[in-house]
Amino acid sequence: MQENYIQNLNPEQEKAVKHIDGPSMVIAGAGSGKTRVLTYKIVYLLQNNIKPSSILALTFTNKASKEMQKRIEEIVGFNYSNNLWMGTFHSVFSRILRFEANHLNYSSNFTIYDTEDSKSLIRSIIKELNLDKEIYKVNFIRNRISSMKNNFITAKEYNNKKELIEADKIAKRIEFGRIYNIYNNRCMKADAMDFDDLLIKTYELLSRNKDTLLKYQEKFKYILIDEYQDTNNIQYLIIKKIAALYKNICVVGDDAQSIYSFRGANIQNILNFKLDYPEHKIYKLEQNYRSTSTIVEAANSIIKHNKKQIKKKVWTNNIQGEKIIIAKTGSDNEESRIVAKTINDIQLQNEARYEEFAILYRTNAQSRALEEALRKRNIAYKIYGGLSFYQRKEIKDLLSYYRLTINQKDEEALKRIINYPARGIGLTTIQKLTIAANKMNISIWEVINNIEEIGLTINNGTKNKLENFVSLINTFKEEIEIEDAYTIAEKIAKKSGILSELYNDKTNEGINRFENIQELLNGIKTFTDSSEQNNTLPEFMKEVALLTNEDKEDQKTNNKVTLMTIHSAKGLEFPYVFIVGLEENLFPSLMSKESEESMEEERRLFYVAITRAKKRVFITFAASRFKWGQIIDCSPSRFIREIDSNCLEKKEMYSKETRKPVYSVHLKTRDRRDKTKQSVYQKKLRKINNNTINSRIDLTKITNGIKVKHNQFGTGTVINIQGEGINKKATVFFAGVGQKNLLLRFAKLEIIEK
DNA sequence: ACCTCAAACATTTTT
DNA sequence: TGTTTGAGGT
């Protein structure tokens, strides 16, 4: 074990590291060595003879936890680092839930439904109930269920909350409560949990079983939490419970980098921390070691525009560096070409490697033009986010075979593969099976196994096909606990017919899919070889649902330009950073204009983007941009004006090429669409561009206590008014949504009663 | 039961 | 623009 690592710390960092007894909070500005403090703190604990297994360290992404584990391992060795309880909230809690499954009416091999599975289940429920899918939109229903769960409103409680039912009534979604209830029952029946369940069920487990709670309170004597500003309400409550005994809890975060409120993250948790642990100590890390002083100053000048923030002054001793370049370009394609050219130039002049560059954008859809421009210049790049490897169709298909073999109740897996590859079991048959399963409250698998007893009318041919399918899965089942993961995984890939189905598809996509399957099998092989005792397929599958693209490191060549959303860039750093698409309605996003709060979150997002850079920042915006096959005129983002002009150098960059006219094959349909119904987006856009005053209602009529209706949040009560004239703002409490600050000139509020 | 094509849909961010 | 879904034909 190395002893001298503490020398690498400044006095404040050292104090934070050595504070191990009692609660502490580290407010860490961007680039101030936050990860270093966390890492060394864990090392320090281990050196003070704390057992690794009694340290719980929670991170925001798997990647962050892996990185930290690696750094700790380098200092203390694998035997110590391996026994730490380190990971994301979801992965650590799923471990606990599997261990304690018997307390919850779940088996320890329960399935984790990802977002796709949840949506597919909701889609079936809506269909079974014969509801109008225009009113009951799958995405909306899933989001609403998720937000209910994150606010601790069970399906039962929903039925007691008049405001919620009222809100759904107004939106003509009277059956929401029923869908919510059925959804929960179906998950339970399938021995499956969705992402939110992993948190909720953990909380339930700890609330209902005193012994279990005590066990984990005793176990986790030391708790550390990274990115605390992005924890949500349930996560906060679970941690509060576990930490209640020893109160050795250390949270690390930066309120200026809170960018996940759409997922329920709550900055309030930072304030609550002070109230919950009055004996706490706060350490502020304000020296930035990452960026040039120009970048630090620019970042400070932006975040200054936010009203809500904890006071701190980030500063640096680093050199001034070069100014931030802001480039105005003609179109999105031109923007991409200029970014690619600039990367090329810098790479040649400064002998920089491609891996030193990152291109950051607000939405995933922006990557397409950039990819094209990079490809044209033969610049190697890797792209994060978008469709995850594990979400690809062929991967999910094969994984569904594994899932069903492990858990026959897994309805979504069964539906996915019962007729893939095609074996002549059609929709009609599946419908009959589903109806019977719902009626008798058993799984589809059980129905198939008891067709005779149930008395279903299915012809003998189909019956035969069903029997073959069942015995196929049963043969896999016999071996899955005995064989190692790779052996059985490969066997299933072959015998299910997936491998040959894809092998025979000689189209480009087919070849690609075949290769992806090979890659998955290779991954399983690595898993099998690296873990000698617990190397069964069920063990492998426990991790898979929580993995994302970022966890699948591409080992081939690492010298590539990185493309990602700003959200996924959190916690990373690059010498050269390009931030593209700085246009009103894109960044800040159109959706964020309804309230001051979401506008401030967009601004924090911009702050995060700039502070990723070590040496240089390039910002670009375009005068026009392709969106849904149409060209949209854009104006520069307000954030550009907010940067201190001393840090900036402005450029206009037009290449000679103008946009080629686009001739559409589907001219007819587009014509009609343009004339008849304008897209919602267009309408919104026009509204914001044209009017500065909300014309629908008289703003003076909105006062304290008045009831209003909002088309997204439902009904709510005005609890506070600020400002005057066109800057008048209202704080409104919406049932089931919470408090929102709305700028009245934008928010389309209707007055319901006085 | 399966295949094909045109219409409809979608764009905020993700464990 | 690119992807998904559903109707209608075989």
Side-chain angles (χ1 to χ4, degrees):
Chain A
M1 211 182 258
Q2 296 171 26
E3 297 286 345
N4 56 350
Y5 62 94
I6 291 256
Q7 290 168 8
N8 299 329
L9 298 172
N10 72 29
E12 187 75 359
Q13 289 174 330
E14 186 174 337
K15 269 193 261 170
V17 164
K18 290 190 173 171
H19 178 129
I20 56 175
D21 289 315
S24 64
M25 175 153 71
V26 181
I27 302 288
S32 64
K34 172 182 69 120
T35 315
R36 170 177 288 191
V37 166
L38 264 179
T39 313
Y40 288 174
K41 185 154 189 168
I42 293 171
V43 173
Y44 188 74
L45 285 168
L46 294 173
Q47 285 186 338
N48 280 276
N49 295 321
I50 309 296
K51 277 192 302 184
S53 60
S54 56
I55 299 174
L56 172 65
L58 296 169
T59 59
F60 192 70
T61 61
N62 290 308
K63 196 181 180 193
S65 104
K66 261 186 206 159
E67 224 149 79
M68 206 186 295
Q69 196 133 23
K70 207 174 93 196
R71 288 171 72 170
I72 294 170
E73 187 187 321
E74 281 165 11
I75 305 176
V76 301
F78 180 76
N79 286 344
Y80 281 97
S81 66
N82 189 40
N83 287 319
L84 293 164
W85 276 70
M86 188 180 276
T88 60
F89 279 88
H90 289 84
S91 73
V92 168
F93 291 168
S94 73
R95 241 172 110 182
I96 293 177
L97 286 171
R98 291 193 191 282
F99 197 77
E100 308 289 344
N102 55 325
H103 291 298
L104 290 158
N105 289 329
Y106 272 87
S107 81
S108 65
N109 277 329
F110 66 80
T111 303
I112 297 173
Y113 274 178
D114 63 21
T115 312
E116 276 312 302
D117 297 319
S118 299
K119 280 202 259 181
S120 153
L121 175 53
I122 292 166
R123 203 170 289 127
S124 340
I125 295 172
I126 291 170
K127 224 175 195 172
E128 285 159 25
L129 293 178
N130 259 326
L131 298 172
D132 184 351
K133 63 178 184 175
E134 294 298 311
I135 296 170
Y136 295 88
K137 299 227 169 177
V138 174
N139 273 316
F140 180 90
I141 300 288
R142 200 203 72 88
N143 286 336
R144 190 158 170 86
I145 289 178
S146 175
S147 95
M148 293 287 161
K149 288 188 173 183
N150 280 299
N151 284 305
F152 272 123
I153 301 167
T154 62
K156 221 183 203 171
E157 277 159 358
Y158 168 86
N159 287 318
N160 294 329
K161 303 233 175 199
K162 287 203 180 111
E163 326 87 84
L164 293 178
I165 294 176
E166 194 57 34
D168 277 319
K169 220 178 234 169
I170 290 170
K172 298 207 172 89
R173 283 185 309 261
I174 45 171
E175 297 284 13
F176 173 79
R178 206 161 139 216
I179 298 173
Y180 186 17
N181 193 28
I182 296 175
Y183 174 80
N184 281 340
N185 291 340
R186 291 277 273 274
C187 284
M188 185 76 112
K189 207 177 78 178
D191 200 15
M193 294 194 195
D194 66 18
F195 284 139
D196 300 317
D197 286 335
L198 294 176
L199 304 179
I200 288 190
K201 305 273 179 195
T202 304
Y203 185 78
E204 282 177 4
L205 173 77
L206 298 176
S207 316
R208 289 182 192 162
N209 305 282
K210 286 242 160 62
D211 295 345
T212 315
L213 175 61
L214 194 63
K215 179 170 131 193
Y216 287 101
Q217 285 177 334
E218 283 287 355
K219 178 171 176 52
F220 297 128
K221 295 194 171 66
Y222 293 88
I223 300 173
L224 300 96
I225 305 172
D226 194 10
E227 308 281 10
Y228 189 66
Q229 76 280 358
D230 284 324
T231 52
N232 69 24
N233 196 242
I234 300 193
Q235 292 168 330
Y236 160 78
L237 289 169
I238 294 173
I239 290 307
K240 191 175 164 186
K241 262 192 184 306
I242 300 180
L245 187 60
Y246 287 103
K247 298 193 176 173
N248 293 326
I249 176 172
C250 169
V251 302
V252 181
D254 178 8
D255 60 300
Q257 294 184 62
S258 162
I259 54 176
Y260 278 90
S261 72
F262 69 91
R263 214 172 77 188
N266 194 348
I267 313 189
Q268 194 64 33
N269 288 351
I270 292 185
L271 304 173
N272 283 343
F273 187 88
K274 298 181 188 174
L275 300 175
D276 291 338
Y277 310 98
E279 71 277 34
H280 72 278
K281 266 241 155 60
I282 293 184
Y283 301 93
K284 280 191 184 174
L285 308 181
E286 297 178 313
Q287 182 176 1
N288 176 306
Y289 295 96
R290 179 187 293 154
S291 318
T292 65
S293 69
T294 304
I295 294 171
V296 171
E297 255 171 64
N300 281 340
S301 66
I302 291 156
I303 204 69
K304 209 174 61 196
H305 289 83
N306 273 6
K307 287 182 193 119
K308 269 198 191 166
Q309 49 180 320
I310 295 174
K311 265 222 161 75
K312 68 173 166 310
K313 179 76 193 159
V314 180
W315 59 278
T316 186
N317 269 336
N318 292 348
I319 56 159
Q320 188 179 15
E322 287 177 76
K323 290 193 170 180
I324 292 175
I325 290 184
I326 297 208
K328 177 179 178 177
T329 66
S331 69
D332 47 354
N333 288 328
E334 193 176 63
E335 174 185 55
S336 299
R337 285 197 296 272
I338 284 165
V339 168
K341 182 177 187 305
T342 314
I343 290 177
N344 212 348
D345 291 350
I346 294 178
Q347 182 241 343
L348 293 173
Q349 283 164 25
N350 301 7
E351 297 184 337
R353 293 168 58 78
Y354 284 142
E355 66 194 0
E356 295 178 57
F357 296 88
I359 308 174
L360 307 180
Y361 36 78
R362 177 68 240 267
T363 64
N364 279 309
Q366 287 167 261
S367 70
R368 197 164 292 144
L370 291 160
E371 285 184 77
E372 198 181 311
L374 292 171
R375 267 201 304 270
K376 272 192 186 147
R377 285 194 174 262
N378 279 323
I379 298 174
Y381 65 88
K382 58 183 166 190
I383 183 161
Y384 284 78
L387 194 58
S388 149
F389 178 77
Y390 298 98
Q391 298 288 352
R392 292 193 184 144
K393 185 190 173 303
E394 63 277 16
I395 300 298
K396 276 211 90 172
D397 288 337
L398 185 52
L399 289 177
S400 293
Y401 272 95
Y402 301 161
R403 276 166 54 176
L404 189 65
T405 307
I406 294 165
N407 169 17
Q408 291 82 44
K409 294 180 191 165
D410 186 336
E411 201 177 302
E412 295 311 310
L414 183 139
K415 279 194 197 152
R416 210 181 160 100
I417 56 171
I418 192 166
N419 199 33
Y420 180 83
R423 45 174 72 88
I425 302 172
L427 263 177
T428 341
T429 312
I430 295 170
Q431 233 162 37
K432 278 183 200 163
L433 297 172
T434 315
I435 291 169
N438 289 340
K439 227 188 212 161
M440 306 182 61
N441 201 25
I442 55 176
S443 66
I444 296 181
W445 178 261
E446 282 175 285
V447 173
I448 302 176
N449 278 286
N450 297 289
I451 292 177
E452 302 290 337
E453 290 87 334
I454 294 168
L456 282 184
T457 48
I458 289 174
N459 69 48
N460 281 333
T462 314
K463 234 185 254 174
N464 233 326
K465 290 169 188 162
L466 286 170
E467 269 165 31
N468 287 340
F469 177 69
V470 165
S471 54
L472 178 73
I473 299 295
N474 278 335
T475 54
F476 299 152
K477 212 171 100 188
E478 280 163 22
E479 296 172 47
I480 201 157
E481 295 284 355
I482 309 162
E483 296 283 3
D484 68 78
Y486 180 69
T487 310
I488 184 70
E490 196 196 20
K491 193 169 192 171
I492 294 177
K494 279 182 182 158
K495 294 233 165 137
S496 64
I498 287 189
L499 219 46
S500 57
E501 170 103 358
L502 292 177
Y503 184 76
N504 291 328
D505 183 352
K506 293 295 178 196
T507 59
N508 268 345
E509 302 91 61
I511 293 165
N512 217 325
R513 288 194 184 131
F514 186 76
E515 285 170 358
N516 284 337
I517 294 281
Q518 293 293 352
E519 207 177 327
L520 175 66
L521 289 173
N522 286 341
I524 299 177
K525 178 107 178 94
T526 315
F527 166 83
T528 311
D529 294 344
S530 66
S531 45
E532 277 152 30
Q533 301 141 11
N534 248 334
N535 64 1
T536 62
L537 193 58
E539 243 2 88
F540 176 82
M541 291 300 289
K542 282 177 186 174
E543 306 289 325
V544 160
L546 297 171
L547 292 182
T548 56
N549 239 5
E550 276 94 287
D551 308 319
K552 223 182 112 286
E553 204 54 60
D554 192 356
Q555 289 123 346
K556 289 164 206 159
T557 38
N558 269 328
N559 188 20
K560 292 177 176 175
V561 174
T562 301
L563 272 74
M564 54 169 67
T565 62
I566 302 167
H567 279 89
S568 39
K570 191 171 77 158
L572 305 178
E573 56 177 32
F574 302 89
Y576 302 94
V577 170
F578 291 81
I579 310 168
V580 301
L582 257 273
E583 294 136 35
E584 283 292 302
N585 301 334
L586 178 62
F587 192 15
S589 123
L590 180 59
M591 317 289 173
S592 68
K593 297 207 163 171
E594 298 214 321
S595 77
E596 188 72 24
E597 267 156 22
S598 46
M599 183 54 73
E600 294 209 345
E601 176 145 324
E602 294 284 304
R603 195 173 282 114
R604 291 193 293 268
L605 195 56
F606 188 44
Y607 176 81
V608 168
I610 287 192
T611 53
R612 296 312 92 199
K614 291 168 149 175
K615 288 188 191 163
R616 297 196 70 179
V617 175
F618 301 83
I619 293 169
T620 58
F621 63 96
S624 72
R625 182 173 292 278
F626 240 120
K627 228 172 200 179
W628 306 315
Q630 282 179 315
I631 297 171
I632 307 264
D633 286 332
C634 315
S635 55
S637 166
R638 67 187 69 191
F639 295 152
I640 292 177
R641 270 172 279 139
E642 293 174 1
I643 308 174
D644 182 347
S645 56
N646 292 325
C647 309
L648 295 184
E649 182 181 333
K650 289 189 185 171
K651 284 191 177 171
E652 290 209 5
M653 300 174 102
Y654 291 100
S655 62
K656 294 231 170 69
E657 301 169 62
T658 47
R659 191 190 292 283
K660 291 179 198 114
V662 183
Y663 297 109
S664 171
V665 194
H666 307 289
L667 210 60
K668 251 185 179 167
T669 43
R670 182 148 306 127
D671 249 357
R672 200 187 63 195
R673 193 198 307 181
D674 283 350
K675 276 176 197 154
T676 52
K677 49 176 175 178
Q678 256 184 337
S679 71
V680 182
Y681 175 85
Q682 287 265 310
K683 277 186 203 156
K684 262 192 173 174
L685 196 70
R686 176 163 309 165
K687 178 134 196 158
I688 282 181
N689 283 342
N690 294 356
N691 85 351
T692 37
I693 301 272
N694 189 331
S695 53
R696 282 170 57 182
I697 49 166
D698 184 357
L699 294 189
T700 56
K701 280 192 183 153
I702 295 193
T703 50
N704 267 356
I706 231 167
K707 282 223 166 101
V708 289
K709 187 187 156 197
H710 184 273
N711 60 355
Q712 193 189 341
F713 305 133
T715 53
T717 314
V718 177
I719 53 179
N720 192 23
I721 297 282
Q722 287 172 301
E724 283 193 355
I726 61 163
N727 288 322
K728 195 168 173 182
K729 277 182 282 185
T731 309
V732 186
F733 184 80
F734 292 101
V737 183
Q739 263 185 34
K740 294 276 171 192
N741 280 327
L742 304 172
L743 202 51
L744 292 178
R745 105 180 99 114
F746 291 140
K748 293 163 226 157
L749 292 177
E750 267 176 66
I751 296 173
I752 299 183
E753 60 181 89
K754 289 179 187 175

